[in-house]
Amino acid sequence: MFRRREVTVLPAGRPEGPTGIYIVDPARSTIGFSVRHTSIAHVQGKFTAFEGILKLDGSRPSRSEIHLSVQTGSLDTGSPELDAQGTGPDCLDSATFPLMAFRSTGIRDAGDERYRVSGRLRIKDLELPVHIDVECGPASRDVHGQDRVGFVGTTTPFRAGTRRGPDPGARRFPDRRHGAADPRHLRRTGAPGGIRLNRKPPP
């Protein structure tokens, strides 16, 4: 004989996302950009030297924090002439401003593993408000026991050629910046490279 029992089944909650302090893995990450070079052509490139740290709260993503810094002199378009122009005094002026930096000021959950990240992007002597649309890939643990997670994100700080001061040539920056995760760890990617994070081990 089976005894009848009533069981209450609670709906499954949203699984908690990655939590902890993560550092950007530069060997598996890319920070790229696309800029209008002429009226009909765009130039794509990337920065090869950068670092970042993320404090992730999987249960309350709005509490997470993101800090990134990029060496402006590491710009790489594949053209020495364009690289010299981009890092020169009329553009990024890497000799005077060797770093540009991003810090988050707010994160909103957009659903389906997507987030809207608000923050401040500092380029040269400007600090610009930006919004980054981010998609989070699944977390994993590699063969060395390191926790990893990937992201893809895109932002448009402002359009190239926008005048922000008396010298318009000194205020031309890339139209779009993007970082994307290893495509093996995302459903889709919108950029040619990746940002991949390794969890920072506790002290």
Side-chain angles (χ1 to χ4, degrees):
M1 295 289 295
F2 291 96
R3 184 173 298 176
R4 181 177 179 180
R5 298 178 59 187
E6 292 185 358
V7 178
T8 301
V9 179
L10 299 177
R14 182 176 177 177
E16 183 174 316
T19 298
I21 298 177
Y22 286 74
I23 57 175
V24 173
D25 183 354
R28 296 176 173 83
S29 304
T30 298
I31 294 180
F33 63 85
S34 174
V35 60
R36 184 182 294 276
H37 181 56
T38 65
S39 59
I40 59 174
H42 280 79
V43 173
Q44 292 187 347
K46 62 184 178 180
F47 294 93
T48 59
F50 50 86
E51 59 184 7
I53 186 168
L54 290 80
K55 181 180 179 182
L56 303 181
D57 188 331
S59 60
R60 296 188 64 178
S62 61
R63 290 183 173 181
S64 299
E65 300 175 13
I66 302 172
H67 299 271
L68 298 170
S69 65
V70 178
Q71 295 183 26
T72 55
S74 70
L75 181 146
D76 181 10
T77 63
S79 166
E81 180 180 356
L82 292 178
D83 293 349
Q85 180 182 349
T87 58
D90 290 336
C91 193
L92 292 175
D93 193 4
S94 60
T96 306
F97 302 96
L99 292 177
M100 61 181 178
F102 171 82
R103 58 181 176 86
S104 64
T105 57
I107 299 177
R108 178 174 61 85
D109 190 342
D112 194 26
E113 302 301 328
R114 299 171 187 269
Y115 301 90
R116 179 77 163 174
V117 178
S118 302
R120 309 288 295 185
L121 176 65
R122 186 166 187 82
I123 306 177
K124 297 179 71 170
D125 56 349
L126 299 176
E127 190 169 84
L128 312 169
V130 297
H131 301 282
I132 305 175
D133 294 313
V134 175
E135 181 179 352
C136 178
S140 63
R141 178 168 294 177
D142 65 17
V143 295
H144 303 291
Q146 289 186 318
D147 293 325
R148 297 178 179 270
V149 63
F151 293 91
V152 57
T154 304
T155 184
T156 305
F158 54 85
R159 294 193 179 279
T162 300
R163 176 170 289 197
R164 297 277 175 167
D167 180 6
R171 307 302 182 187
R172 294 191 182 119
F173 300 110
D175 287 291
R176 296 175 68 84
R177 288 184 175 80
H178 47 247
D182 187 328
R184 292 172 297 177
H185 296 282
L186 284 177
R187 290 187 296 276
R188 66 178 182 83
T189 59
I195 289 181
R196 196 168 178 184
L197 309 178
N198 295 338
R199 187 171 182 180
K200 185 176 181 180

